[in-house]
Amino acid sequence: MTKEQEKRLCGIREIVVLREDARRFEHTMGVYRECLWMSRVFSLSDGDAYTLCAAALLHDIAKNLTAAEAIALSERHGVVLDTEIPSVIHQYTGAMLAGELFDMETVSPEMLDAIRCHTTGKADMTPIEKMLFVADFTEAGRKYRSCQEMREYLHGECEKINKNDKNARLRVLDEVTRRITGYTVTYLVERGKRIDPRMVEAWNSMV
Ligand SMILES: [Fe+2]
Ligand SMILES: [Fe+2]
């Protein structure tokens, strides 16, 4: 990444730390470090690495908003939130809030798109969208067994692949994205919870 991009990431971090409690910020930094690692492993350009790492820092920025704040934010953007699943709302409000807090040199449409689907996924995700979706699950601070297994699989498979074989690494990314989606769908079904239709669409687009 360029010095300018690193400076922008520091600026984002200074705002995010004020908006997240200590535990959430620790998770955010875990996702950020996982995305930094992915930037190297997937040989991303400076521009893509910046997009991914900035999206990582910003992805949960709206998680602490109250319902009233989330509604007010959506109204300012002329958006009707089309989900009633509380844990899903913050992916949309997060993208809106990031767009409000930073200028368009700092945040980009690709970045906001990745934030907008980091919880549910969606059909035909771009590699950067998949990376944020996966990193949110595989970051080192997640102690659940399922998270550890996905992390070990991702890191283990990537280590085995020849440095120049970018396509093989992208196939691993696809496989981890599919496994995490499948695991989450199963988890929700087993507990009788609702599934956001975008997650079902994501699953269908991968099988
Ligand atoms: Fe999130
Ligand atoms: Fe997260």
Side-chain angles (χ1 to χ4, degrees):
M1 258 182 278
T2 66
K3 285 270 165 275
E4 178 64 30
Q5 287 164 334
E6 281 173 5
K7 228 173 86 187
R8 283 184 194 280
L9 289 180
C10 286
I12 294 173
R13 210 160 102 173
E14 281 169 17
I15 303 286
V16 172
V17 73
L18 300 174
R19 289 189 163 257
E20 293 183 355
D21 58 46
R23 237 184 88 223
R24 179 146 318 278
F25 188 67
E26 206 179 301
H27 159 70
T28 294
M29 289 308 293
V31 177
Y32 171 73
R33 283 189 289 272
E34 188 77 340
C35 285
L36 255 188
W37 172 78
M38 287 182 185
S39 307
R40 267 202 331 273
V41 164
F42 295 106
S43 312
L44 298 189
S45 66
D46 282 349
D48 284 347
Y50 172 74
T51 300
L52 178 63
C53 291
L57 289 175
L58 289 166
H59 81 286
D60 275 344
I61 195 168
K63 193 104 188 194
N64 289 350
L65 293 189
T66 62
E69 285 169 334
I71 291 166
L73 176 64
S74 311
E75 279 175 358
R76 281 205 295 284
H77 287 256
V79 172
V80 179
L81 291 170
D82 63 347
T83 176
E84 280 159 24
I85 306 174
S87 58
V88 170
I89 287 174
H90 79 283
Q91 66 180 10
Y92 304 110
T93 49
M96 290 179 228
L97 189 56
E100 275 191 9
L101 293 173
F102 299 95
D103 60 37
M104 287 315 277
E105 302 216 316
T106 305
V107 297
S108 63
E110 295 79 19
M111 209 182 278
L112 301 184
D113 284 345
I115 296 170
R116 214 175 274 124
C117 68
H118 81 263
T119 308
T120 60
K122 67 177 181 193
D124 307 318
M125 282 188 274
T126 64
I128 287 190
E129 288 165 351
K130 286 177 195 163
M131 286 175 207
L132 181 62
F133 175 82
V134 168
D136 196 26
F137 199 91
T138 59
E139 67 99 350
R142 296 257 200 222
K143 303 297 181 206
Y144 298 112
R145 218 177 99 198
S146 52
C147 298
Q148 277 173 3
E149 281 170 6
M150 298 290 177
R151 180 162 62 242
E152 278 164 23
Y153 174 78
L154 171 68
H155 287 244
E157 290 300 304
C158 284
E159 270 167 28
K160 284 187 217 158
I161 294 166
N162 182 295
K163 223 178 165 11
N164 299 319
D165 196 348
K166 201 180 162 187
N167 287 336
R169 285 171 200 258
L170 288 176
R171 280 198 296 277
V172 172
L173 177 66
D174 284 347
E175 176 59 19
V176 184
T177 307
R178 193 187 63 80
R179 286 186 185 199
I180 291 173
T181 308
Y183 170 82
T184 308
V185 168
T186 307
Y187 176 94
L188 294 170
V189 169
E190 281 173 359
R191 281 157 188 78
K193 302 219 179 203
R194 277 200 199 192
I195 304 172
D196 188 282
R198 272 145 294 209
M199 181 159 257
V200 178
E201 285 162 18
W203 174 253
N204 287 342
S205 77
M206 289 184 275
V207 293

